[in-house]
Amino acid sequence: MKIQRCFSLPTLSGRGIFVSFFFFLFLAIASCQTSPAEHFTPQIIAEGETGETPVTISKQLTAEIDAVLDATLEKGKPQESVLVPKFMDNRGVARVLGRYLASRISEGLSTDPALNVVDSGKLRQKMHLDAISQGGQGSSSMIMVARELNADRIVLGRMTDLGQQIEISARIISVSDGKVLGQVSKLVKKNGSFLNLWDVGP
């Protein structure tokens, strides 16, 4: 018994196979197309959050400390000498952040013609000779050092760990009588830029 075909498959020539291949390739590429890339939108800082960095904070502190120093400048004195030791944390450790702040504030104050900033190298040398460790950098001992270095004013900085935030404050003190002439402070969040200088040892 002879079975007849009800249908037959079309045969493709070499050229037909080539065309079909590129047709399906085009469809595959088209299906991979995505929506046009969106434009980058800078992150908006929500109210109450801070975008501050050690650079901006040091500039703000410098300006406020300079204002206190200028306001308390002795009459008739062309220049006052000021000393800026390392900022210390609650445990009496400077950390990299404390050294950075003192350095940047010293640099900023040195641009004021009414001020003469004592070189930090002289301070380190004097503290070494007097065997004053950074943990013993209290008000009374530092005022004594400032007197021996002929400083008129000393800026004592403190960094207080508040968990998610750091309070950075500075007291401007008269070396002659130990009187606090003024105090400035900033409250900052522990964002990446501060943590880079906070969690890297003493």
Side-chain angles (χ1 to χ4, degrees), residues 143-156:
I143 288 174
M144 289 178 61
V145 170
R147 284 176 185 159
E148 293 180 18
L149 292 174
N150 298 317
D152 300 300
R153 306 283 187 257
I154 184 170
V155 178
L156 290 181

Side-chain angles (χ1 to χ4, degrees), residues 35-193:
S35 59
E38 295 181 2
H39 293 290
F40 172 75
T41 303
Q43 184 180 2
I44 299 174
I45 300 173
E47 184 178 356
E49 293 186 0
T50 176
E52 292 167 330
T53 66
V55 175
T56 60
I57 285 296
S58 64
K59 289 180 178 178
Q60 292 172 20
L61 288 171
T62 300
E64 294 181 18
I65 292 169
D66 195 19
V68 173
L69 290 168
D70 284 344
T72 59
L73 185 67
E74 292 182 17
K75 293 181 179 179
K77 196 169 186 178
Q79 262 195 341
E80 281 193 339
S81 182
V82 60
L83 182 64
V84 186
K86 297 175 289 186
F87 281 43
M88 313 299 286
D89 69 6
N90 304 353
R91 297 178 300 159
V93 179
R95 298 179 181 269
V96 174
L97 179 60
R99 294 194 293 272
Y100 173 83
L101 290 171
S103 175
R104 290 301 298 265
I105 290 170
S106 293
E107 290 175 9
L109 294 178
S110 66
T111 62
D112 186 339
L115 300 175
N116 173 40
V117 179
V118 177
D119 180 57
S120 59
K122 291 182 179 180
L123 171 61
R124 287 193 299 269
Q125 184 179 19
K126 184 60 183 172
M127 290 180 67
H128 177 71
L129 291 174
D130 291 352
I132 299 175
S133 66
Q134 63 177 14
Q137 194 170 313
S139 300
S140 57
S141 60
M142 292 310 298
I143 288 174
M144 289 178 61
V145 170
R147 284 176 185 159
E148 293 180 18
L149 292 174
N150 298 317
D152 300 300
R153 306 283 187 257
I154 184 170
V155 178
L156 290 181
R158 177 70 61 182
M159 304 176 297
T160 305
D161 189 348
L162 299 177
Q164 298 299 315
Q165 296 176 310
I166 304 170
E167 183 182 30
I168 302 172
S169 60
R171 288 178 298 155
I172 299 88
I173 300 174
S174 171
V175 174
S176 61
D177 55 11
K179 181 181 178 181
V180 177
L181 304 174
Q183 180 167 328
V184 300
S185 65
K186 296 292 178 184
L187 191 64
V188 298
K189 283 195 172 183
K190 284 184 181 176
N191 58 36
S193 61

